[in-house]
Structures are given as structure tokens and as C-alpha cells.
Amino acid sequence: MNFRARNRIILVAVVILCACSPALYLPTINDASRAGISTDSLIAGRTLYINHCGSCHNLHLPEQFTQAHWEKVMPEMKRKTKISEEEAKLISSFVLARCKPD
């Protein structure tokens, strides 16, 4: 594969990945306060969510599901993606900060 073709493939992948991310909320100080975690940690969780979860399937907005749903699917997703416990906690914090109430 030549240099130009490889760059096109990379560009298409980046565009597809980034197309979903604007709909995801950007964590605020209020989200961090409500979640009991720093804004930087929520932003890290958002980034991990986009990079890891979005690499296998369409991203779901956190508010699409309840806390119970997210807590049920996260262990299975953690196992499938082989992310660390710390990464899983950051992703969970991000989605739980704005999920639907149970």
C-alpha cells in the first residue's frame, strides 16, 4: 500500500470516529461534582469511551440508558476490550455521570 492510500484510510477512520464524538457531552464541573470525580477524569473517561467502545460498535449516548443498564454491560465490555480496571472505572464514571435515573 502506498503512502497516499494509507493516509486516506487513516483520514477516513479518524473522520468516522470523530463524527460520533460531538454528540457526547463534554464533562462540566457540575458533572464532576455530581459524580464525585474530577472533570479531568471524566474527560479521560470520555476519550477512552470514544477510543475503545467506538472501535467495535456505534457509541451510545450515556443518557440513553439507566445506571443499572450501564453497570450490567460494563463488566462484559471490559472483558471484551481487555481494558484495565482503571480505564473501566473512568469510562463508567463518564457514562454514569449523565445516565438516565433508574
Side-chain angles (χ1 to χ4, degrees):
M1 180 181 309
N2 68 34
F3 181 75
R4 192 170 274 184
R6 184 177 59 91
N7 283 346
R8 284 186 191 139
I9 291 170
I10 292 170
L11 178 62
V12 168
V14 168
V15 167
I16 290 170
L17 184 61
C18 292
C20 298
S21 62
L24 291 172
Y25 80 95
L26 289 172
T28 66
I29 293 171
N30 290 337
D31 296 321
S33 177
R34 202 171 33 254
I37 191 170
S38 72
T39 306
D40 288 342
S41 293
L42 287 178
I43 291 170
R46 181 182 188 271
T47 301
L48 289 166
Y49 181 66
I50 292 167
N51 292 337
H52 289 287
C53 305
S55 67
C56 293
H57 57 78
N58 290 333
L59 294 174
H60 296 283
L61 298 177
E63 57 270 18
Q64 286 180 287
F65 300 109
T66 64
Q67 179 175 344
H69 172 82
W70 285 114
E71 289 175 346
K72 180 181 174 186
V73 300
M74 281 301 298
E76 178 66 16
M77 295 297 107
K78 179 185 177 292
R79 185 185 64 75
K80 286 182 177 182
T81 60
K82 298 179 175 82
I83 59 175
S84 71
E85 188 63 35
E86 181 62 29
E87 290 170 322
K89 285 180 184 178
L90 290 169
I91 293 169
S92 289
S93 294
F94 168 72
V95 297
L96 294 176
R98 289 257 186 113
C99 66
K100 274 196 237 184
D102 284 332

